[in-house]
Amino acid sequence: QNLVLTQLRSEIGKLTLDATFSAREQINAVLLSDLDIATKPWGVKITRVEVRDINPNPDIMKAMEMQMAAERQKRAVVIQSEGELSRAVNQADGAAQ
């Protein structure tokens, strides 16, 4: 159990917050390989490892929520500025005609 937790922490620590949730297959493969190496001397073959849930602590969740809110705000500003540019171009075209 300690080996799995240590390896799990190590693999998750290598990833960004966003990638952590989408990289379960990668994490599972690394854990499977490491466990297989560790249990081989005992004649045990690990055939499957599955990380089902990743529950970050509340501070990390808050940081992720803030990051998502900032990204939404950034997209909104970009969309608004593109709309304003399009309006200005259309007004200029209309005035030129």
Side-chain angles (χ1 to χ4, degrees), residues 2 34 39 55-56 65 76 92:
N2 289 339
D34 291 345
T39 59
N55 299 315
E65 289 168 2

Side-chain angles (χ1 to χ4, degrees), residues 5-93:
L5 289 175
T6 300
Q7 286 305 114
L8 185 58
R9 287 183 185 120
S10 173
E11 289 306 310
I12 289 176
K14 294 176 186 175
L15 302 170
T16 64
L17 288 176
D18 294 336
T20 300
F21 296 105
S22 61
R24 285 189 183 147
E25 289 183 28
Q26 175 187 348
I27 294 169
N28 291 342
V30 170
L31 289 176
L32 179 62
S33 174
D34 291 345
L35 285 172
D36 197 34
I37 291 169
T39 59
K40 189 174 184 177
W42 297 325
V44 175
K45 172 71 175 158
I46 305 294
T47 58
R48 181 179 170 144
V49 174
E50 183 176 346
V51 175
R52 292 188 295 172
D53 292 319
I54 298 174
N55 299 315
N57 70 37
D59 291 338
I60 291 176
M61 287 300 294
K62 184 177 179 180
M64 290 175 69
E65 289 168 2
M66 289 171 59
Q67 179 183 5
M68 287 187 297
E71 289 174 3
R72 282 192 298 269
Q73 180 66 30
K74 178 182 172 184
R75 282 193 303 268
V77 168
V78 168
I79 289 169
Q80 182 179 358
S81 68
E82 288 173 350
E84 291 171 1
L85 175 64
S86 178
R87 182 188 66 193
V89 168
N90 289 337
Q91 285 177 341
D93 287 344

